Amino acid sequence: MSTRRAFAAASFVCADCGKGCKTAGGLKRHRNAHLSLPSRPNPAPAPAHDDDPPQNNFSPLPSPGPDPSPSPPPQPTVPPTARGTTVERHPIIDGTPCDADGYDLPPGAVPPPWEDRAPDDYSPFLSRAEFEFAEFLYVHEEMSGARLDRLAQLLAGLYDGVDPPFADHQDLYATIDAIQQGDIPWQSFSVKYTGPIPETGTVPVWMTETFEVWFRSPLGIFEKQLSNPDFEGEMDWAPKRVFKSGSRQFVDLFSGDWVWEQADKIAADPRCHGALFVPGVFGSDKTTVSVGTGNTEFYPFYGGIGNVHNGVRRAHREALSVMAFLSIPKTTRQFAKSKEFRKFRRQLFHASIARILQPLKPHMEKPRVTRCADGHFRRVIYGLGPYIADYPEQALLTCIVQGHCPRSRRSEEHTEALLEGCTLKELWDDLGIVGDIIPFTADFPRADIHELISMDLLHQIIKGTFKDHVVDWVEDYIRAVHEPAEAERILADIDRRIAITPPFPGLRNFPVGRGFKQWTGNDSKGLMKVYLPAIAGRVPPEVVQCVAHITEFCHLVRRSVIDEDTLAAIDATVERFHQAREIFRLIRPDGFSLPRQHSMVHYSPLIQAFGAPNGLCSSITESKHIKAVKKPYRRSSRNNPLGQILLTNQRLDKLGAARVDFTARGMLSGALLPLPLSQQQSSERDPSNDPDDDRIDQGDVAGPTCLGEVKLAKTYVRKVPRDVHQLAAHIHQPRLHELIRRFLYDQFHPDAPVSGAQAPIDDCPEFAERVYMYSSARAVFYAPSDVCGVGGMHHERIRATKSWYRGPPRYDCVFLEHDPDAPGFRGLHAARVHLFFRFKFQGIDYPCALIHWFSAYGDEPCPDTGLWRVTPDFIRGHPGERAMEVVHVDALLRGAHLIGMAGKEYIPLTDFDSSDTLNAFNAFYVNKYADHHSHEIAF
């Protein structure tokens, strides 16, 4: 008779995300996967059993490398960008806290308590378990109504005599609908054409059709976001100017000039002194959820408060919410290009947005007392802020003809003046202005649509200028200057170079180069990281330089903190790009009048106005499409799906708001079913359930900015020798024992005139301890421009393993810092890790790495690519023998990405893949475009 496993409660709960685990080891594995914040314990050494690996209780000493010697990287406790910074805040529109009646509170006043509710009041749910069960079914599993009914029947059958939590899907939906938190109901209005109708002939259907627009109150959405306790500490209450060493820094929207200028205008009214300015950030874009016979389109309109920091908006934490679904008028091909239809379509768009935003208008000049995330009340003044849109949407918003710039020398005042002296045809033909459309901003104070158009990294630069323009131009150029057969051979070799790029955390793999049809934004970003070295040597230097300049521009403007020096570098890069692209006149004889490329000249002033562009990118709205439109559509019956999409969004928002409320009141802390104390202690004492899940290459680190470091994996590799001589034979590194002894010499003689590398081996300590091998290490560092936690912390894996996913070996490269005062790569060393290991010597624990050194090639980066070049070091007089050294893991800064320099050589078509690259090439580019942090430290 088979035995059944007993139920075990998930009583160990992650404080960051609320996930429950059944054992302490399971919780540790979960934290490893999502990476808790690092720490540096330094207790006294504890006695260890012979078979136990040494523990992380060392007091490390720096380990030198080649001259100049690398030292352990500095360990800041504050973000590097925050050191030495000062912040100046607006003196009048400063978000002064007030009471519920709008009277200012004295400085340091404690905010009033939130709504007094019982600590077990999960209404409309009966308990925490019932709420989490409903959230699991509706949000995470997205279970259909029929399956919910079946589940209810199964639960009733399993637990005879006990009713299931929800009787059926209707009971579940009704309970969710009864949630009061986040209840912002959908409303609608209708729009109809009121112009002249043809007296003869066919009357277009759109002239008689009624178009319905569904929306939610923007005032309700903004007040919900303002009071969201999840945003506390990540919002600005006043416009600010950030300085570092006297240089201005541009970070979030509130650090830009536009918000400050708006505050100056508001301050002209004494009634608004001490108010909180809340600009709305908006975005819209059509999205298709089915193609072919369905061809179903939706037109979501998004809105959110501009006070939240860029990282919050990028992190999809409901700082940008779906506010409306705009109507999409359609007609037959016969009338699609008629002037009347095009005018109606444009004016419908603007009139709809103006109507949606009307609830904000009364509070754009008269403050409204509103509760904020920190618990205080403030008197709020609203305004229209930056608008996120791709170029076709920008043309529609600014009422211009496509092909013209929506910003250059344009304003609503200027357009009104032109209307007095020009005909509509003259405005269209000569100035690119659609003069018979009234923009939605005309009805609101302090708003000019030309001023509010923001940057769009995704469509203007990454997909537009880089992928759709420059990459395609390179291919066209190769075909234009070579015979067809030779051109195909060169293009195939470029694809091979891309395909054999060594792996790196977060780097997209292109197994067949760029030869696939459907390109996403992530594909374009991934190609940008590896494309430049792939074309070097295959095209003229001017072509390489053009690609280098657009790639450099993308990474400069993508930074989360942009200072005045970076702005100067952005302007210089744009100028160099314009000069270098002249080589493409061979294939573009008509020139480069392209709006997406022209937008580059506006980035520097737009950054000064709106802060770093990564908080106002259309990739944010593109990702919102998935949650707000595409997933709800897939859950619908496909029959009149809009109403079902609206209801799904409302229920998701209610469940999300309930979770935020319950979490803020401490009602979701701890485990659902607490484990008895004896079992807790037993699980906590059991270290066997703590293997390291090293399959996760990189990601964000939850929590505030803290000490960064490199640590070995949690568990050592089993079934490998622990004797140093046997391990050396196992990994084919015969000098391992000698190099460990030389490493120990440096540890015990840090001030010796001769380093361990040159010291007589007899002067080095004898070594016969057990050595424990590890397959990876984990680097944690401050990288706010990459995908990171709210504190700007990021992590990545550095691997050294004989087999990666049961395939070929993988030995990653690293940066080591040797001169913190030298800029960029001049202050770094590059090396390749061949072994991570740990041993204990005289009671001290040493986590180490066996590395192969690389030396910089020349004193400057490559003049064409802008990338530094390195060559592998070999021992003089011993051809082919690598220059190896053992270093402390504290000497490692983070992973590095090296790409082979192929020059004019062709890559073999067979028996050569990415695992061979680091062994086969004689020189490498240091890829500063592997991620944004690499770009900032290896420029």
Side-chain angles (χ1 to χ4, degrees):
M1 182 176 179
S2 62
T3 58
R4 298 289 298 274
R5 186 166 50 182
F7 170 77
S11 301
F12 298 87
V13 180
C14 176
D16 294 328
C17 69
K19 176 180 172 61
C21 302
K22 295 181 179 180
T23 65
L27 178 59
K28 290 179 181 178
R29 289 195 296 276
H30 167 71
R31 286 175 174 168
N32 289 338
H34 294 273
L35 197 67
S36 300
L37 293 172
S39 60
R40 279 188 176 276
N42 190 23
H49 299 288
D50 289 343
D51 291 333
D52 290 340
Q55 301 300 312
N56 186 15
N57 53 15
F58 56 88
S59 179
L61 295 172
S63 175
D67 190 28
S69 301
S71 59
Q75 306 294 339
T77 56
V78 296
T81 53
R83 288 185 232 148
T85 60
T86 58
V87 179
E88 173 190 353
R89 303 194 183 275
H90 199 279
I92 301 175
I93 308 302
D94 57 0
T96 301
C98 65
D99 59 23
D101 297 320
Y103 295 102
D104 288 353
L105 297 176
V110 178
W114 293 92
E115 179 185 359
D116 188 16
R117 294 172 58 186
D120 59 348
D121 182 6
Y122 292 93
S123 58
F125 301 97
L126 300 179
S127 64
R128 171 185 171 181
E130 190 173 279
F131 163 71
E132 295 202 27
F133 187 59
E135 184 184 49
F136 173 77
L137 295 176
Y138 196 83
V139 179
H140 302 290
E141 289 303 308
E142 301 180 356
M143 193 172 288
S144 67
R147 292 188 177 182
L148 285 169
D149 293 344
R150 177 64 174 160
L151 177 63
Q153 295 296 319
L154 291 173
L155 290 174
L158 282 171
Y159 306 102
D160 189 19
V162 179
D163 290 340
F166 303 99
D168 52 24
H169 72 280
Q170 293 179 342
D171 184 30
L172 172 65
Y173 297 162
T175 306
I176 296 174
D177 292 338
I179 297 174
Q180 296 301 308
Q181 299 93 324
D183 187 14
I184 306 174
W186 287 94
Q187 309 172 55
S188 69
F189 60 85
S190 299
V191 182
K192 190 175 182 180
Y193 174 74
T194 57
I197 295 178
E199 296 180 359
T200 60
T202 304
V203 177
V205 175
W206 64 268
M207 286 188 173
T208 58
E209 188 177 356
T210 299
F211 299 94
E212 198 167 31
V213 177
W214 285 89
F215 73 101
R216 294 189 292 179
S217 168
L219 186 62
I221 289 176
F222 285 1
E223 290 187 342
K224 171 189 167 186
Q225 294 173 350
L226 271 173
S227 63
N228 188 343
D230 192 36
F231 297 160
E232 184 180 0
E234 301 172 67
M235 300 173 66
D236 288 306
W237 307 123
K240 62 186 179 184
R241 289 171 175 164
V242 183
F243 298 89
K244 181 178 181 180
S245 303
S247 175
R248 181 84 178 272
Q249 289 188 330
F250 300 92
V251 192
D252 307 302
L253 176 61
F254 265 58
S255 69
D257 293 333
W258 178 82
V259 172
W260 194 284
E261 292 167 0
Q262 290 286 303
D264 287 343
K265 295 177 182 179
I266 295 170
D269 186 348
R271 297 177 303 171
C272 299
H273 290 190
L276 166 64
F277 177 47
V278 177
V281 173
F282 304 100
S284 59
D285 185 29
K286 290 180 185 176
T287 182
T288 302
V289 294
S290 68
V291 295
T293 56
N295 195 27
T296 305
E297 289 182 305
F298 295 97
Y299 207 157
F301 174 70
Y302 301 103
I305 57 175
N307 306 69
V308 296
H309 297 165
N310 285 354
V312 177
R313 196 175 298 113
R314 295 201 314 266
H316 319 307
R317 292 167 55 195
E318 301 308 319
L320 197 70
S321 300
V322 60
M323 192 172 284
F325 281 85
L326 305 177
S327 187
I328 307 176
K330 295 183 179 181
T331 187
T332 60
R333 181 176 295 183
Q334 178 183 357
F335 304 105
K337 294 185 178 180
S338 67
K339 292 181 180 179
E340 294 81 6
F341 177 70
R342 289 189 296 178
K343 177 181 177 180
F344 173 74
R345 186 182 58 196
R346 294 188 183 103
Q347 195 61 69
L348 172 64
F349 172 82
H350 284 276
S352 297
I353 295 179
R355 170 66 180 82
I356 292 165
L357 299 180
Q358 277 301 311
L360 295 174
K361 188 175 179 180
H363 311 294
M364 291 183 174
E365 295 178 311
K366 181 181 178 181
R368 176 182 172 90
V369 178
T370 306
R371 195 75 179 265
C372 297
D374 61 355
H376 279 295
F377 288 95
R378 288 178 174 84
R379 294 177 298 117
V380 174
I381 288 286
Y382 291 99
L384 301 187
Y387 203 111
I388 303 170
D390 59 13
Y391 177 73
E393 195 89 351
Q394 290 180 0
L396 174 62
L397 284 159
T398 54
C399 307
I400 64 168
V401 180
Q402 288 208 26
H404 292 258
C405 175
R407 292 193 60 91
S408 295
R409 301 183 297 278
R410 296 189 187 276
S411 68
E412 291 182 13
E413 183 180 359
H414 181 237
T415 300
E416 290 175 2
L418 291 172
L419 281 169
E420 296 179 1
C422 302
T423 65
L424 293 177
K425 186 177 187 305
E426 289 172 337
L427 289 176
W428 181 290
D429 294 339
D430 300 336
L431 300 172
I433 296 175
V434 184
D436 55 353
I437 302 299
I438 302 173
F440 75 91
T441 51
D443 197 34
F444 296 93
R446 305 184 308 276
D448 186 328
I449 188 57
H450 299 285
E451 184 183 65
L452 299 179
I453 292 298
S454 70
M455 307 142 284
D456 179 15
L457 286 171
L458 178 63
H459 291 97
Q460 288 175 340
I461 308 302
I462 297 170
K463 292 181 68 175
T465 302
F466 174 74
K467 167 61 181 62
D468 294 340
H469 294 165
V470 175
V471 173
D472 288 349
W473 292 354
V474 171
E475 181 172 341
D476 293 342
Y477 182 90
I478 292 172
R479 295 185 187 279
V481 300
H482 294 282
E483 294 295 326
E486 181 63 14
E488 291 299 330
R489 187 185 181 203
I490 291 173
L491 291 170
D493 188 61
I494 291 174
D495 284 343
R496 282 289 293 144
R497 296 182 182 194
I498 295 172
I500 65 164
T501 300
F504 187 77
L507 191 66
R508 209 171 190 84
N509 181 30
F510 294 92
V512 293
R514 55 178 297 267
F516 54 97
K517 295 181 180 179
Q518 187 65 37
W519 281 83
T520 66
N522 287 333
D523 292 328
S524 298
K525 294 174 188 176
L527 180 65
M528 185 183 294
K529 297 178 180 181
V530 300
Y531 187 65
L532 184 60
I535 64 171
R538 283 277 159 251
V539 293
E542 295 84 357
V543 174
V544 178
Q545 291 166 15
C546 183
V547 175
H549 296 324
I550 185 59
T551 307
E552 181 73 7
F553 176 84
C554 288
H555 282 73
L556 287 172
V557 299
R558 178 61 177 78
R559 292 182 177 181
S560 289
V561 178
I562 298 177
D563 58 21
E564 292 174 343
D565 291 339
T566 309
L567 288 176
I570 289 170
D571 291 337
T573 303
V574 172
E575 184 177 350
R576 287 193 290 266
F577 171 73
H578 288 161
Q579 295 172 354
R581 72 180 178 180
E582 289 297 319
I583 192 173
F584 291 115
R585 283 196 182 271
L586 174 68
I587 57 172
R588 290 194 61 84
D590 296 333
F592 308 98
S593 181
L594 301 164
R596 290 177 178 85
Q597 288 195 23
H598 169 76
S599 70
M600 295 169 64
V601 303
H602 294 297
Y603 267 69
S604 185
L606 281 170
I607 290 168
Q608 295 176 69
F610 295 142
N614 61 19
L616 297 171
C617 179
S618 61
S619 60
I620 299 173
T621 53
E622 291 277 354
S623 64
K624 288 294 293 185
H625 288 340
I626 298 173
K627 179 179 179 182
V629 184
K630 296 185 177 181
K631 284 188 174 182
Y633 174 79
R634 290 196 290 267
R635 296 172 68 164
S636 73
S637 66
R638 312 305 202 265
N639 181 27
N640 296 322
L642 180 57
Q644 300 168 62
I645 291 174
L646 299 180
L647 194 55
T648 298
N649 273 281
Q650 184 164 331
R651 288 169 176 163
L652 289 172
D653 283 354
K654 285 189 171 189
L655 284 167
R659 170 162 282 279
V660 169
D661 179 42
F662 295 157
T663 301
R665 294 194 284 134
M667 296 166 62
L668 300 181
S669 346
L672 274 172
L673 297 175
L675 207 61
L677 180 62
S678 60
Q679 290 180 274
Q680 289 185 30
Q681 294 171 340
S682 174
S683 295
E684 290 169 356
R685 286 195 302 264
D686 180 12
S688 62
N689 290 322
D690 190 22
D692 188 33
D693 183 3
D694 67 352
R695 293 169 295 178
I696 298 175
D697 256 0
Q698 53 89 39
D700 64 304
V701 180
T705 303
C706 70
L707 203 65
E709 65 180 352
V710 177
K711 294 178 67 174
L712 296 182
K714 290 289 184 180
T715 57
Y716 56 92
V717 179
R718 311 286 178 173
K719 299 180 180 179
V720 297
R722 296 176 193 167
D723 176 80
V724 63
H725 300 286
Q726 295 178 14
L727 180 61
H730 176 76
I731 63 172
H732 308 293
Q733 298 292 343
R735 297 184 60 219
L736 177 62
H737 180 249
E738 172 200 341
L739 295 175
I740 291 176
R741 294 179 64 187
R742 295 188 182 279
F743 163 78
L744 290 172
Y745 178 90
D746 287 324
Q747 299 299 300
F748 289 98
H749 305 87
D751 300 322
V754 177
S755 69
Q758 287 80 38
I761 189 62
D762 291 339
D763 293 345
C764 299
E766 291 291 339
F767 180 80
E769 309 297 330
R770 288 178 175 269
V771 177
Y772 296 83
M773 174 179 170
Y774 293 77
S775 61
S776 68
R778 187 179 65 198
V780 184
F781 48 89
Y782 180 74
S785 298
D786 293 295
V787 178
C788 61
V790 295
M793 300 300 292
H794 181 83
H795 82 97
E796 69 182 11
R797 284 280 169 189
I798 306 168
R799 305 187 184 278
T801 177
K802 294 183 69 174
S803 178
W804 172 237
Y805 273 102
R806 299 183 180 180
R810 177 172 170 181
Y811 298 104
D812 290 344
C813 297
V814 291
F815 287 123
L816 298 93
E817 190 170 42
H818 74 85
D819 186 358
D821 297 325
F825 185 72
R826 297 178 189 277
L828 302 174
H829 280 310
R832 187 182 184 191
V833 179
H834 285 263
L835 175 68
F836 285 116
F837 63 101
R838 170 176 265 144
F839 62 86
K840 181 169 288 189
F841 188 80
Q842 295 185 5
I844 300 177
D845 187 15
Y846 292 99
C848 297
L850 175 66
I851 61 170
H852 176 204
W853 290 107
F854 288 75
S855 292
Y857 178 80
D859 297 326
E860 298 290 339
C862 169
D864 295 334
T865 64
L867 302 175
W868 284 89
R869 295 159 293 183
V870 295
T871 57
D873 291 347
F874 295 92
I875 298 177
R876 184 175 300 176
H878 296 77
E881 187 172 350
R882 298 185 178 100
M884 309 286 285
E885 186 168 355
V886 170
V887 299
H888 202 291
V889 294
D890 266 15
L892 310 183
L893 182 62
R894 57 151 299 179
H897 191 225
L898 305 186
I899 299 180
M901 294 174 56
K904 297 184 181 298
E905 298 294 326
Y906 284 89
I907 304 298
L909 297 177
T910 58
D911 299 327
F912 192 89
D913 59 27
S914 59
S915 65
D916 301 311
T917 300
L918 292 173
N919 295 321
F921 285 84
N922 297 320
F924 299 86
Y925 290 112
V926 179
N927 185 16
K928 65 178 178 179
Y929 301 123
D931 55 35
H932 296 286
H933 185 253
S934 295
H935 181 258
E936 293 181 19
I937 68 170
F939 57 89

